[in-house]
Amino acid sequence: MKRVLQLLIVGSLLALAPAMARAGWIVDWSTVAVNQKGERMAAQQATQSITGNQVRMQQPEVTTIIDYTKDRYTLINPAKRYFWSGTIDDYVRDMSSQRKNALTERVNRMPIPKRKRDKLVDQEGAESEKKPTPEPTRLPVSLAETGAAEKIAGYETEKYDVKVDGELFQEIWIAPALDLSADLDAARYLAQQQKTGSSMLGKSAKQYSALYNDPQYSALLAKGFVVKTVTHHMAGSFERVVTSVKQVDVPASDFAVPEDYRKVRLADLFDPPPTPAPHVATDPRPSAKTRPKP
């Protein structure tokens, strides 16, 4: 009887195991911005969990959770205990709306006639109302293996220079022996990057669009896991490198929002949302639940 009970307990635990954790990866990153003068800013650390086409990126001020199978995008502000969640199209639409509102505020402060201010806002509004996934930018992309060898996070790498429209845009170090394809579908990743990239502005937005729609770039990502990138832009460069990578069981809770967190609009994620009107109680004395603790 005792052995039967033990087997029942073990069987119950095994049945619960998939909900508690599943095999995946934990990747630690270090990111550094470099300005036009070559001065390096303070490094920012981040931890990435990857499993079952889900990715969680935990940074000091924000946590991002992406479900590439369900096309869901979640942003969490742990300091304020706020979160926003929606589809990738929702994210692009809300980001475009924020951009229009910011422009309206900026334009309204300009010392120009109202007629010109309205025209500038209307132009931005037309851009914001475009389809979430616009036509990709068709700039020429070229990839060249440099022959440089470097060991990063314990893995041998191959370095590639990526040019967009003849200009060096990215340097990529890829580790062929590090295969995460069972846990992260490169095609789904690129499809979502194409959508989120459509909310960007400026020259870099066009360069990213060209990359994400280029078959050579897709084939490169299929070769292994990118462990280091240096992206060049008008203001300097952006470096991102893996400092540690390990294969572990990733808890399902890593991809869930804590129950006590409050859902807000994307625009309010890092600013206090409007405070609801206070409830007028018949008894002015605070109840036991609302009375402040000493």
Side-chain angles (χ1 to χ4, degrees):
M1 182 64 184
K2 182 179 179 181
R3 179 169 177 78
V4 172
L5 183 59
Q6 289 175 331
L7 289 173
L8 288 172
I9 293 172
V10 171
S12 299
L13 291 173
L14 288 174
L16 290 171
M20 294 189 293
R22 62 180 297 174
W25 303 82
I26 298 294
V27 185
D28 293 321
W29 295 88
S30 179
T31 301
V32 176
V34 182
N35 65 21
Q36 287 179 314
K37 297 179 180 179
E39 298 169 335
R40 299 173 67 85
M41 306 295 103
Q44 184 184 82
Q45 310 306 315
T47 298
Q48 189 177 38
S49 304
I50 304 172
T51 186
N53 263 342
Q54 297 179 96
V55 174
R56 171 194 172 101
M57 179 69 82
Q58 184 171 334
Q59 297 167 275
E61 296 179 357
V62 63
T63 297
T64 306
I65 300 174
I66 305 177
D67 189 321
Y68 287 97
T69 300
K70 296 180 179 179
D71 191 40
R72 298 295 298 180
Y73 201 92
T74 301
L75 291 170
I76 300 173
N77 182 337
K80 295 183 177 295
R81 306 174 82 84
Y82 295 162
F83 78 98
W84 175 90
S85 186
T87 66
I88 297 298
D89 289 343
D90 292 336
Y91 172 79
V92 172
R93 184 181 60 252
D94 287 1
M95 285 296 292
S96 298
S97 176
Q98 282 193 57
R99 195 167 63 234
K100 179 184 176 182
N101 292 340
L103 178 73
T104 301
E105 292 180 8
R106 189 165 67 250
V107 168
N108 285 337
R109 292 194 297 267
M110 292 182 177
I112 59 177
K114 183 178 184 301
R115 167 172 51 84
K116 291 186 177 181
R117 293 200 303 264
D118 292 343
K119 184 177 180 180
L120 287 172
V121 172
D122 289 343
Q123 288 174 346
E124 177 64 15
E127 290 293 317
S128 299
E129 290 169 4
K130 287 182 176 180
K131 292 181 180 180
T133 309
E135 285 297 315
T137 304
R138 299 298 183 185
L139 296 176
V141 175
S142 63
L143 281 68
E145 187 173 358
T146 65
E150 183 179 345
K151 203 167 190 177
I152 299 175
Y155 289 87
E156 298 293 342
T157 65
E158 299 172 0
K159 181 177 181 287
Y160 292 82
D161 285 347
V162 182
K163 293 183 178 180
V164 178
D165 204 19
E167 294 182 13
L168 180 63
F169 180 55
Q170 278 191 343
E171 298 170 75
I172 293 178
W173 286 257
I174 194 163
L178 190 53
D179 183 9
L180 276 66
S181 60
D183 288 289
L184 183 59
D185 187 316
R188 289 182 180 272
Y189 165 80
L190 286 172
Q192 290 204 7
Q193 291 298 102
Q194 291 166 14
K195 289 187 176 184
T196 54
S198 67
S199 67
M200 298 172 61
L201 292 174
K203 184 178 179 181
S204 294
K206 295 180 179 179
Q207 291 169 315
Y208 276 118
S209 178
L211 278 191
Y212 296 147
N213 289 279
D214 186 77
Q216 299 175 87
Y217 191 73
S218 300
L220 177 61
L221 296 188
K223 288 189 66 175
F225 189 66
V226 176
V227 293
K228 181 179 178 180
T229 59
V230 178
T231 303
H232 301 273
H233 51 80
M234 294 180 66
S237 63
F238 181 79
E239 301 181 9
R240 189 166 175 254
V241 61
V242 170
T243 57
S244 169
V245 56
K246 52 191 175 183
Q247 193 168 19
V248 297
D249 287 340
V250 179
S253 58
D254 274 11
F255 306 100
V257 178
E259 291 183 0
D260 60 337
Y261 277 36
R262 178 181 174 186
K263 186 173 184 179
V264 298
R265 299 181 308 164
L266 186 58
D268 296 325
L269 190 64
F270 293 98
D271 293 310
T275 304
H279 174 68
V280 180
T282 54
D283 186 345
R285 296 172 298 175
S287 66
K289 290 184 179 180
T290 60
R291 188 179 301 124
K293 295 181 180 179

PDB file of all heavy atoms in Angstrom, residues 3-16:
ATOM      1  N   ARG A   3       3.950   1.568  -1.164  1.00  0.00           N
ATOM      2  CA  ARG A   3       4.590   1.734  -2.466  1.00  0.00           C
ATOM      3  C   ARG A   3       3.593   2.293  -3.482  1.00  0.00           C
ATOM      4  O   ARG A   3       3.936   3.154  -4.300  1.00  0.00           O
ATOM      5  CB  ARG A   3       5.159   0.401  -2.952  1.00  0.00           C
ATOM      6  CG  ARG A   3       5.825   0.514  -4.317  1.00  0.00           C
ATOM      7  CD  ARG A   3       6.615  -0.736  -4.657  1.00  0.00           C
ATOM      8  NE  ARG A   3       7.182  -0.638  -5.977  1.00  0.00           N
ATOM      9  CZ  ARG A   3       8.264   0.069  -6.293  1.00  0.00           C
ATOM     10  NH1 ARG A   3       8.867   0.776  -5.359  1.00  0.00           N
ATOM     11  NH2 ARG A   3       8.727   0.086  -7.533  1.00  0.00           N
ATOM     12  N   VAL A   4       2.340   1.818  -3.418  1.00  0.00           N
ATOM     13  CA  VAL A   4       1.311   2.331  -4.341  1.00  0.00           C
ATOM     14  C   VAL A   4       1.126   3.828  -4.112  1.00  0.00           C
ATOM     15  O   VAL A   4       1.026   4.616  -5.065  1.00  0.00           O
ATOM     16  CB  VAL A   4      -0.017   1.589  -4.131  1.00  0.00           C
ATOM     17  CG1 VAL A   4      -1.120   2.258  -4.936  1.00  0.00           C
ATOM     18  CG2 VAL A   4       0.125   0.132  -4.546  1.00  0.00           C
ATOM     19  N   LEU A   5       1.098   4.236  -2.840  1.00  0.00           N
ATOM     20  CA  LEU A   5       0.931   5.646  -2.515  1.00  0.00           C
ATOM     21  C   LEU A   5       2.102   6.470  -3.034  1.00  0.00           C
ATOM     22  O   LEU A   5       1.924   7.564  -3.584  1.00  0.00           O
ATOM     23  CB  LEU A   5       0.805   5.809  -0.994  1.00  0.00           C
ATOM     24  CG  LEU A   5       0.560   7.243  -0.487  1.00  0.00           C
ATOM     25  CD1 LEU A   5      -0.718   7.802  -1.095  1.00  0.00           C
ATOM     26  CD2 LEU A   5       0.504   7.253   1.029  1.00  0.00           C
ATOM     27  N   GLN A   6       3.336   5.930  -2.911  1.00  0.00           N
ATOM     28  CA  GLN A   6       4.520   6.631  -3.417  1.00  0.00           C
ATOM     29  C   GLN A   6       4.437   6.807  -4.928  1.00  0.00           C
ATOM     30  O   GLN A   6       4.753   7.879  -5.465  1.00  0.00           O
ATOM     31  CB  GLN A   6       5.788   5.863  -3.047  1.00  0.00           C
ATOM     32  CG  GLN A   6       6.121   5.915  -1.562  1.00  0.00           C
ATOM     33  CD  GLN A   6       7.310   5.042  -1.223  1.00  0.00           C
ATOM     34  OE1 GLN A   6       7.558   4.035  -1.898  1.00  0.00           O
ATOM     35  NE2 GLN A   6       8.028   5.414  -0.179  1.00  0.00           N
ATOM     36  N   LEU A   7       3.991   5.757  -5.638  1.00  0.00           N
ATOM     37  CA  LEU A   7       3.878   5.827  -7.093  1.00  0.00           C
ATOM     38  C   LEU A   7       2.820   6.848  -7.507  1.00  0.00           C
ATOM     39  O   LEU A   7       2.977   7.571  -8.486  1.00  0.00           O
ATOM     40  CB  LEU A   7       3.533   4.448  -7.667  1.00  0.00           C
ATOM     41  CG  LEU A   7       4.660   3.409  -7.609  1.00  0.00           C
ATOM     42  CD1 LEU A   7       4.132   2.053  -8.047  1.00  0.00           C
ATOM     43  CD2 LEU A   7       5.826   3.824  -8.503  1.00  0.00           C
ATOM     44  N   LEU A   8       1.716   6.902  -6.740  1.00  0.00           N
ATOM     45  CA  LEU A   8       0.684   7.877  -7.035  1.00  0.00           C
ATOM     46  C   LEU A   8       1.213   9.300  -6.874  1.00  0.00           C
ATOM     47  O   LEU A   8       0.922  10.192  -7.673  1.00  0.00           O
ATOM     48  CB  LEU A   8      -0.530   7.669  -6.138  1.00  0.00           C
ATOM     49  CG  LEU A   8      -1.386   6.434  -6.454  1.00  0.00           C
ATOM     50  CD1 LEU A   8      -2.433   6.243  -5.366  1.00  0.00           C
ATOM     51  CD2 LEU A   8      -2.053   6.577  -7.815  1.00  0.00           C
ATOM     52  N   ILE A   9       2.014   9.526  -5.831  1.00  0.00           N
ATOM     53  CA  ILE A   9       2.585  10.853  -5.591  1.00  0.00           C
ATOM     54  C   ILE A   9       3.545  11.238  -6.706  1.00  0.00           C
ATOM     55  O   ILE A   9       3.504  12.344  -7.249  1.00  0.00           O
ATOM     56  CB  ILE A   9       3.304  10.893  -4.221  1.00  0.00           C
ATOM     57  CG1 ILE A   9       2.278  10.738  -3.099  1.00  0.00           C
ATOM     58  CG2 ILE A   9       4.094  12.187  -4.059  1.00  0.00           C
ATOM     59  CD1 ILE A   9       2.889  10.579  -1.729  1.00  0.00           C
ATOM     60  N   VAL A  10       4.431  10.289  -7.094  1.00  0.00           N
ATOM     61  CA  VAL A  10       5.389  10.538  -8.180  1.00  0.00           C
ATOM     62  C   VAL A  10       4.650  10.821  -9.478  1.00  0.00           C
ATOM     63  O   VAL A  10       4.987  11.739 -10.231  1.00  0.00           O
ATOM     64  CB  VAL A  10       6.351   9.344  -8.343  1.00  0.00           C
ATOM     65  CG1 VAL A  10       7.184   9.512  -9.605  1.00  0.00           C
ATOM     66  CG2 VAL A  10       7.253   9.230  -7.118  1.00  0.00           C
ATOM     67  N   GLY A  11       3.604  10.024  -9.741  1.00  0.00           N
ATOM     68  CA  GLY A  11       2.830  10.221 -10.971  1.00  0.00           C
ATOM     69  C   GLY A  11       2.177  11.592 -11.003  1.00  0.00           C
ATOM     70  O   GLY A  11       2.126  12.248 -12.045  1.00  0.00           O
ATOM     71  N   SER A  12       1.686  12.041  -9.849  1.00  0.00           N
ATOM     72  CA  SER A  12       1.064  13.358  -9.779  1.00  0.00           C
ATOM     73  C   SER A  12       2.075  14.452 -10.047  1.00  0.00           C
ATOM     74  O   SER A  12       1.798  15.430 -10.752  1.00  0.00           O
ATOM     75  CB  SER A  12       0.437  13.579  -8.398  1.00  0.00           C
ATOM     76  OG  SER A  12      -0.558  12.605  -8.162  1.00  0.00           O
ATOM     77  N   LEU A  13       3.283  14.308  -9.507  1.00  0.00           N
ATOM     78  CA  LEU A  13       4.325  15.301  -9.733  1.00  0.00           C
ATOM     79  C   LEU A  13       4.739  15.351 -11.188  1.00  0.00           C
ATOM     80  O   LEU A  13       4.965  16.419 -11.747  1.00  0.00           O
ATOM     81  CB  LEU A  13       5.537  15.009  -8.844  1.00  0.00           C
ATOM     82  CG  LEU A  13       5.323  15.223  -7.342  1.00  0.00           C
ATOM     83  CD1 LEU A  13       6.534  14.750  -6.575  1.00  0.00           C
ATOM     84  CD2 LEU A  13       5.031  16.687  -7.049  1.00  0.00           C
ATOM     85  N   LEU A  14       4.852  14.196 -11.823  1.00  0.00           N
ATOM     86  CA  LEU A  14       5.224  14.155 -13.240  1.00  0.00           C
ATOM     87  C   LEU A  14       4.148  14.821 -14.091  1.00  0.00           C
ATOM     88  O   LEU A  14       4.444  15.490 -15.083  1.00  0.00           O
ATOM     89  CB  LEU A  14       5.439  12.710 -13.692  1.00  0.00           C
ATOM     90  CG  LEU A  14       6.708  12.027 -13.152  1.00  0.00           C
ATOM     91  CD1 LEU A  14       6.717  10.564 -13.554  1.00  0.00           C
ATOM     92  CD2 LEU A  14       7.964  12.729 -13.668  1.00  0.00           C
ATOM     93  N   ALA A  15       2.912  14.622 -13.710  1.00  0.00           N
ATOM     94  CA  ALA A  15       1.816  15.235 -14.467  1.00  0.00           C
ATOM     95  C   ALA A  15       1.846  16.750 -14.351  1.00  0.00           C
ATOM     96  O   ALA A  15       1.484  17.473 -15.272  1.00  0.00           O
ATOM     97  CB  ALA A  15       0.485  14.702 -13.964  1.00  0.00           C
ATOM     98  N   LEU A  16       2.310  17.249 -13.202  1.00  0.00           N
ATOM     99  CA  LEU A  16       2.379  18.687 -12.999  1.00  0.00           C
ATOM    100  C   LEU A  16       3.633  19.302 -13.579  1.00  0.00           C
ATOM    101  O   LEU A  16       3.685  20.504 -13.840  1.00  0.00           O
ATOM    102  CB  LEU A  16       2.342  19.005 -11.497  1.00  0.00           C
ATOM    103  CG  LEU A  16       1.013  18.755 -10.781  1.00  0.00           C
ATOM    104  CD1 LEU A  16       1.226  18.913  -9.278  1.00  0.00           C
ATOM    105  CD2 LEU A  16      -0.037  19.736 -11.268  1.00  0.00           C
TER     106      LEU A  16
END
